[in-house]
Amino acid sequence: MTWPKKYGGQERSFLDRYVVTEEFRVANAPVRAHFTADRQSGPVLLKYAADEIKKDVLPRITRGECCFCIGMSEPNSGSDLFAASTKATKTDEGWRVNGTKLWTSNAHHADYMIGLFRTSPSTEENHRHGLTNFLVDITLPGISISPVHNMAGLHEFNEVVFDDCLVPNNHVLGEINGAWKQATSELAYERSGPERFLETFYILTEMVRTLGTEPDNRSAEGIGRLVAQAHTLRRMSVSVNGMLQAGMEPVLEGAIVKDMGTVWEQALPRKARDLTAFTDIGNRTNFDRLLRYAIHIAPKLTIQGGTTEVLRSIIARGLGLR
Amino acid sequence: MTETDDIIIDTTARIFSELGDPQTLNNACDDTWQQPLWTALADSGLTRAWVPEDQGGAGAEITDGFDILVTAGRYAVAVPLAETLLAGWLLAKAGIMMPDGPLSVAMGNADNPFRINSNGSLSGTAKVVPFAGDVDHFTVLTDKGVALVKASDCNIETGVSMAGDAMSDVTFDGVTPSTVAVVPGGFGIKDLMLMGAAIRSAQMAGGLQAILDLAVDYAKERVAFGRPISKFQAVQHNLARLGGETAVAVAAAGSAADAIANAEGANAQQFDQAVFLEVAAAKIRTGEAVGDGTAIAHQTFGAIGFTSEHVLQRHTRRLWAWRDDYGSESEWAVRLGEMIATNGADELWPLLASR
């Protein structure tokens, strides 16, 4: 929605996009396949890709014809992103990539990956040095994808193995060895969106329905606190997005919103379970089905996109403690 | 933020840092600091911020008043500034001239409001009136409108709040108010409670900012096990949580203040559901933040923060007192939950998204 018209975008504001994202989340709409490209990959391409690539790929994203996955985590590199060891070696034909990415959500549906590869060793002074972002066509020879089923029985995760995969020279995104410089501004977008507190919101709506129009004090208090918390998180998230619209880089604020938002959306199914424990009026089959699903997926909410521990360290740095 | 906002915040901060510094007040062996602090606040017009100029006030914006309250909260305000602002706002609504001197508001409750007797006198007892022993007048919302009552005509019990500030029950034993006037448009105790809760939320937001600053500075100075405790990840993460709770409180209180300012700007005679959501959420969420935030601040300071001579308790005890005033988190949560349930599940998201 926010992208330039020449690449198929609408040039709408971030807040317009915010509203649409919110409504998708509240409706629990199946948007995951295209959301990665819209939120993260597209903006990276807009900023760092060569113009011929932008002209080729971005319009296809806006038409809903191509999906992206994120090639960051590895078996030995999760929160410690800068420990990534999948290697890209410069050759005459392009870059040769070897190594393994793990926990790659939706790689099995994706057309492209934005992969973070090691192009030189880190240095004593800067352990973040030496990594480069690449646009990778996932259908290239030398890439194999295997499923990793999650504990909810779903196939989202994948292991992506690169075996001498050749990536063209013009697929480098941004500065070679300098991917770390690109990270900070993107993180604020990734961390402050409505998806960071609304992922289990349907549980709150359905809990209110299940508890009925005349709740006892215990139920009413439970609803009231959860609604107050949700409302406040939303006001914070909207405000961070307003800062982004104004061209600021609210990295600290984004970390706070994601920390508080994901802890809240993770606790919501448990609290809803407590509050509905004595309720068996009406037909709660639908609620129980949703609750079971939400409890299953809850653990991931404070892990994906930056763990609680990493976020609190960022906040501590913002407070001048590190 | 406009230039006027900055001037108001700077003026408030300057008066408090010169005459109401929490550490200085904590060291004082008597209350001779009260009069100079109050005089400076009154002379600057801050105490009359919410009274229009033609009624003897400063005619400031609603948001300016909330800025004053957040700043006063940062300095653990121990004079009836918030109460006088609220009383002035209420008197202005009834078109009553605001008297000089500090005021407080005696609240009844929705089921049993104060009544004006046929002879024009007022009877009844108001529970836990903030700064009751320190003020010249009370404003009382009665069934016949707003009444202004001289404090010297009332029976005031001696008592203190959790913070050690004056707070007591006030009995109006056939007292004749100096003025009674109706607020037009069905304004009631629910609207007054909303304003009171928004005021306390603003003070709590300021108070949390103060204890965050204190705890962060102390963690950088205090050395244990051979290094500043700020270098321990466990301490960093505690303080990150305090930072998060403070950000939540500031956001919640600010959003409620904006909602009230918009309603007042539109000359709404009663507050609607959206304002109710905003203020209830602010009082609930700032109250919750006070619970978690004060625990972390005290944990950071260890034993020294638990002493009466240390400044931390000057802030935390007031935060606990403010959390109780004009409805606790639980009381507001029950009312908000009932409203949401009555509206029905499908109205929940549209209400949140309308803000």
Side-chain angles (χ1 to χ4, degrees), chain A:
Chain A
M1 285 176 68
T2 60
W3 301 354
K5 287 188 175 157
K6 64 171 170 172
Y7 301 125
Q10 307 269 345
E11 299 184 6
R12 305 289 290 252
S13 73
F14 290 109
L15 291 173
D16 285 349
R17 179 182 173 276
Y18 186 95
V19 169
V20 173
T21 312
E22 249 185 6
E23 294 298 329
F24 279 151
R25 286 291 150 171
V26 169
N28 207 11
V31 293
R32 194 169 300 271
H34 293 286
F35 191 61
T36 305
D38 177 64
R39 180 179 71 184
Q40 279 174 268
S41 317
V44 169
L45 294 179
L46 268 172
K47 211 162 174 185
Y48 301 108
D51 199 50
E52 69 268 18
I53 290 180
K54 286 191 212 173
K55 279 184 182 139
D56 173 32
V57 179
L58 292 174
R60 286 195 279 137
I61 295 177
T62 61
R63 290 198 299 265
E65 291 169 7
C66 88
C67 302
F68 273 69
C69 61
I70 304 166
M72 285 192 181
S73 295
E74 297 185 9
N76 294 311
S77 162
S79 288
D80 185 8
L81 201 57
F82 301 102
S85 66
T86 296
K87 225 181 196 173
T89 314
K90 184 104 174 82
T91 68
D92 290 343
E93 315 103 302
W95 295 82
R96 288 274 169 204
V97 181
N98 283 285
T100 303
K101 292 289 175 186
L102 194 57
W103 321 125
T104 316
S105 292
N106 295 315
H108 55 306
H109 297 309
D111 303 284
Y112 291 99
M113 167 191 280
I114 290 187
L116 184 68
F117 303 137
R118 184 153 295 287
T119 41
S120 75
S122 63
T123 58
E124 273 293 309
E125 310 83 66
N126 186 359
H127 82 287
R128 299 184 297 181
H129 174 85
L131 293 165
T132 306
N133 271 321
F134 288 85
L135 174 67
V136 182
D137 180 342
I138 209 95
T139 60
L140 286 174
I143 299 178
S144 52
I145 300 169
S146 340
V148 181
H149 292 276
N150 72 21
M151 59 184 265
L154 300 174
H155 175 198
E156 278 181 13
F157 288 153
N158 296 277
E159 180 190 59
V160 182
V161 178
F162 294 87
D163 181 15
D164 252 357
C165 172
L166 183 70
V167 177
N169 279 325
N170 69 347
H171 281 45
V172 171
L173 299 173
E175 191 180 325
I176 291 170
N177 296 328
W180 61 274
K181 293 178 197 163
Q182 293 161 223
T184 48
S185 59
E186 284 141 36
L187 287 175
Y189 288 95
E190 196 199 325
R191 286 179 176 154
S192 60
E195 69 275 13
R196 296 310 187 189
F197 64 99
L198 289 175
E199 190 133 4
T200 56
F201 188 83
Y202 54 89
I203 291 295
L204 182 54
T205 307
E206 294 312 311
M207 183 190 87
V208 171
R209 199 184 313 283
T210 304
L211 291 172
T213 52
E214 290 178 359
D216 59 16
N217 268 355
R218 174 177 179 268
S219 303
E221 178 174 359
I223 295 169
R225 284 188 188 255
L226 289 168
V227 168
Q229 292 155 358
H231 167 73
T232 308
L233 285 166
R234 182 172 176 278
R235 298 300 305 153
M236 293 174 80
S237 175
V238 170
S239 137
V240 173
N241 278 266
M243 291 161 85
L244 287 167
Q245 176 78 53
M248 294 188 268
E249 288 190 4
V251 176
L252 172 64
E253 291 83 352
I256 289 176
V257 169
K258 180 168 190 287
D259 176 21
M260 318 266 327
T262 53
V263 167
W264 183 82
E265 67 184 3
Q266 181 175 68
L268 174 59
R270 173 171 57 76
K271 291 182 178 171
R273 174 178 169 273
D274 289 346
L275 287 167
T276 54
F278 303 105
T279 310
D280 57 4
I281 46 162
N283 179 4
R284 53 176 288 168
T285 315
N286 184 49
F287 179 68
D288 285 339
R289 182 181 60 79
L290 290 169
L291 188 59
R292 182 179 288 197
Y293 177 75
I295 289 170
H296 265 111
I297 63 117
K300 76 168 181 172
L301 299 172
T302 52
I303 301 169
Q304 62 189 9
T307 64
T308 304
E309 289 79 358
V310 167
L311 295 168
R312 289 188 183 162
S313 293
I314 292 168
I315 299 165
R317 182 178 291 126
L319 291 172
L321 297 167
R322 301 175 62 217

